[in-house]
Amino acid sequence: MRTPKTDPTKAAILTALCAIMVFIPWTILPLRTQPWALEIPAAGIIIACYAIFMIFSGIFTLVCYTKYQVQNTLMKICVVINLIYAIFGVVALGMMAATAA
C-alpha cells in the first residue's frame, strides 16, 4: 500500500531544503582559497565534513522523494544531483581512508 502524498506546504519545505543542499557543497571552493584551509589538518577535516554532508544530503533527498512522496520536477533534479554528490562523498572518504592507512 502506498503512503499518501505529503501536503503541499511540507512538500515545498522539503523541496526547498533539498534545493539548498545542492548548492552548499560548492561553498568549498571559496573556502579553499584561504591559506589556513590548505594546511594538512584543516584540509582533511574540511574535505571530510563536506563529504559527510554530501552523503547526508543524498540520503535525505532520496528519503524525501521515496518515503514522503515529494515528487515534483525540482525534487527529481535534486535527487539526481544529490545522489551524484553522495557517490563522490563516499569516494572522497574512501580515498582519504586508503591514504591514511
Side-chain angles (χ1 to χ4, degrees):
M1 185 167 119
R2 292 189 84 166
T3 58
K5 289 204 174 208
T6 307
D7 67 274
T9 305
K10 189 174 182 180
I13 291 170
L14 291 174
T15 302
L17 282 173
C18 293
I20 289 169
M21 287 181 182
V22 167
F23 297 105
I24 290 177
W26 291 98
T27 61
I28 197 170
L29 296 176
L31 184 66
R32 297 281 294 166
T33 60
Q34 302 297 321
W36 59 266
L38 300 175
E39 296 173 7
I40 293 299
I45 293 170
I46 290 170
I47 292 169
C49 288
Y50 272 86
I52 291 168
F53 176 78
M54 290 176 357
I55 294 167
F56 169 76
S57 296
I59 294 169
F60 178 78
T61 305
L62 189 62
V63 167
C64 290
Y65 185 78
T66 57
K67 183 178 178 189
Y68 295 112
Q69 304 247 334
V70 181
Q71 298 179 351
N72 53 49
T73 305
L74 180 58
M75 191 60 145
K76 291 176 185 177
I77 294 169
C78 291
V79 167
V80 171
I81 294 171
N82 282 332
L83 285 179
I84 291 170
Y85 287 169
I87 292 167
F88 280 114
V90 169
V91 169
L93 287 178
M95 288 177 19
M96 289 176 68
T99 57

